[in-house]
Amino acid sequence: MWVEAVLSKVDLVEVSRDLSPLGIHIGKGGSLVLSDPRDLELVPGLGLRMTVTTEIHWPILGIQIPVSVRSATLEVRPEIVEGPGGDTLTFKLHLDQMDISILPAIVDRRIVDLVNKELEAKHVEFDWSFTKTLSHVFALPGALASVGALDLCAARGRVKITAEAIALAVSFRASVEPRKVGPPPALLQNLRGSAP
């Protein structure tokens, strides 16, 4: 069976505002602050794209004081990552089209490439191990003599991005665990109580 959860564009705008400003440690002693998300759009097959204000302070670049960039493009790319512990929904961050007017365009591109490399190396992303979160064994009432539990296991997922929403579809496997055969619990309790 498949179950689908949908994040609408309105939901994503609200979450983006709640996360802002977002501070990120980069490199040795560097920082990146993303704020003022605007012009949010969903790009089918890619993810969420928005314009943000960016502030970078990264001594390795020779930038000793924070440089503010009024307009940069931030992409949030959702994808399913398979791992030994099950599938994970990951939202990866990717910066693009940064306009640092005091620097030549070729330097802008170099800074963007370095920042993206650092975001990837430090695994600056939002992960949700949904297969663990959504899997559960439900104990069934004792009145059901033949079955003891219902096991719902989230097996895998898929992400679909349209111009209106991001949808996560999760596949579940269901199985029934038989009730263990043995004396009724009340009888066991009576036996334990009468032992010397």
Side-chain angles (χ1 to χ4, degrees), residues 154-177:
R156 59 193 174 97
R158 290 191 306 227
V159 173
K160 182 177 180 183
I161 304 150
T162 69
E164 299 301 319
I166 295 176
L168 169 65
V170 181
S171 168
F172 285 88
R173 287 191 312 265
S175 60
V176 175
E177 296 180 6

Side-chain angles (χ1 to χ4, degrees), residues 130-142:
F130 65 90
T131 49
K132 287 183 183 175
T133 305
L134 299 177
S135 296
H136 189 71
V137 177
F138 297 88
L140 297 175

Side-chain angles (χ1 to χ4, degrees), residues 4-194:
E4 188 175 65
V6 177
L7 282 170
S8 71
K9 190 172 177 180
V10 172
D11 297 329
L12 293 165
V13 167
E14 193 173 312
V15 169
S16 299
R17 286 184 186 147
D18 289 345
L19 283 172
S20 178
L22 180 63
I24 303 168
H25 296 292
I26 55 173
K28 292 181 180 178
S31 65
L32 173 70
V33 178
L34 307 171
S35 61
D36 189 26
R38 56 203 182 274
D39 305 326
L40 186 141
E41 67 173 318
L42 283 164
V43 181
L46 176 73
L48 185 62
R49 182 180 287 155
M50 67 188 90
T51 302
V52 293
T53 299
T54 307
E55 187 174 284
I56 300 175
H57 179 251
W58 200 358
I60 196 172
L61 296 174
I63 303 171
Q64 298 303 323
I65 58 170
V67 172
S68 292
V69 182
R70 287 185 188 169
S71 177
T73 302
L74 176 68
E75 293 174 350
V76 182
R77 302 172 177 178
E79 59 183 67
I80 300 294
V81 177
E82 295 178 12
D87 285 358
T88 300
L89 174 63
T90 300
F91 292 88
K92 296 189 175 185
L93 304 179
H94 182 83
L95 203 57
D96 203 6
Q97 298 178 6
M98 187 183 295
D99 179 20
I100 305 175
S101 56
I102 62 170
L103 299 173
I106 193 164
V107 177
D108 288 3
R109 186 71 249 166
R110 177 83 175 122
I111 291 173
V112 168
D113 290 345
L114 284 170
V115 169
N116 283 328
K117 194 173 182 179
E118 186 69 16
L119 291 175
E120 190 174 327
K122 286 205 169 179
H123 301 286
V124 177
E125 54 209 30
F126 302 96
D127 290 332
W128 177 33
S129 183
F130 65 90
T131 49
K132 287 183 183 175
T133 305
L134 299 177
S135 296
H136 189 71
V137 177
F138 297 88
L140 297 175
L144 299 174
S146 59
V147 292
L150 175 64
D151 185 359
L152 278 181
C153 177
R156 59 193 174 97
R158 290 191 306 227
V159 173
K160 182 177 180 183
I161 304 150
T162 69
E164 299 301 319
I166 295 176
L168 169 65
V170 181
S171 168
F172 285 88
R173 287 191 312 265
S175 60
V176 175
E177 296 180 6
R179 189 168 298 284
K180 293 186 171 82
V181 178
L187 179 58
L188 283 174
Q189 184 63 33
N190 289 341
L191 290 173
R192 286 189 192 116
S194 61

